[in-house]
Amino acid sequence: MKTDQFNESLDFVARHYRHGAFDSSSALNRLGFRRRPAMLRRVAVIAGTVALTASALFVGYYNYNTPAGTDAAMQSAPAAGTPVAEPMKVVRLEFSDAPLSRVAEEIQLVYGVTVTNLPDEDYHLTLSYEGNAYNLVETINELLDTHISVCD
């Protein structure tokens, strides 16, 4: 049965085949795509290579020159001399293996609040957080099973 179907398909192709019918260039031409000159393709490949190399160099340079210390790092923190944020204001903070006392200092500095009930244990925290002071302290309490509190 399968042999008969194969033979019929082969006969159909043999009857309708004409030279160049299965050529990819003529098929692309029928679809409206024109072949680009070889020089234009080379220029496009070179431009793409230069763009990728430049972006890789930029990323490498940026990563090499960005300090990756183990102390707390902040994003969107107020610069020196600017007024402190309100406790409910949403700010993004990042900490990388920072002692809990340093995290509390940053919260106090950025949000203008007082952090109390810090435990005596030596906790370290790695966290990227965007939110207000109350939610951040609540998250820290859940993560470390502590009872830190915030006072305005």
Side-chain angles (χ1 to χ4, degrees), residues 107-146:
I107 293 171
Q108 292 178 153
L109 174 72
V110 171
Y111 292 105
V113 296
T114 304
V115 178
T116 58
N117 297 335
L118 287 174
D120 294 331
E121 290 89 7
D122 186 30
Y123 288 108
H124 283 255
L125 191 65
T126 299
L127 178 71
S128 176
Y129 193 84
E130 186 170 350
N132 63 45
Y134 301 109
N135 292 339
L136 175 56
V137 169
E138 182 180 324
T139 300
I140 292 172
N141 284 333
E142 289 174 10
L143 289 172
L144 301 178
D145 195 27
T146 57

Side-chain angles (χ1 to χ4, degrees), residues 57-130:
L57 288 173
F58 172 77
V59 168
Y61 176 80
Y62 179 79
N63 287 339
Y64 180 75
N65 290 318
T66 302
T70 58
D71 206 4
M74 289 191 330
Q75 288 184 349
S76 307
T82 58
V84 228
E86 297 175 12
M88 292 304 290
K89 185 170 183 171
V90 174
V91 177
R92 180 174 183 81
L93 296 174
E94 290 194 14
F95 302 100
S96 177
D97 195 28
L100 189 56
S101 59
R102 179 71 178 132
V103 172
E105 289 173 11
E106 294 294 336
I107 293 171
Q108 292 178 153
L109 174 72
V110 171
Y111 292 105
V113 296
T114 304
V115 178
T116 58
N117 297 335
L118 287 174
D120 294 331
E121 290 89 7
D122 186 30
Y123 288 108
H124 283 255
L125 191 65
T126 299
L127 178 71
S128 176
Y129 193 84
E130 186 170 350

Side-chain angles (χ1 to χ4, degrees), residues 22-54:
F22 298 107
D23 181 32
S24 61
S25 296
S26 62
L28 288 173
N29 282 338
R30 277 186 256 140
L31 291 173
F33 294 101
R34 301 287 179 239
R35 259 191 100 116
R36 303 241 191 281
M39 185 63 172
L40 184 60
R41 278 195 306 263
R42 286 186 189 122
V43 169
V45 168
I46 291 171
T49 304
V50 167
L52 285 173
T53 304

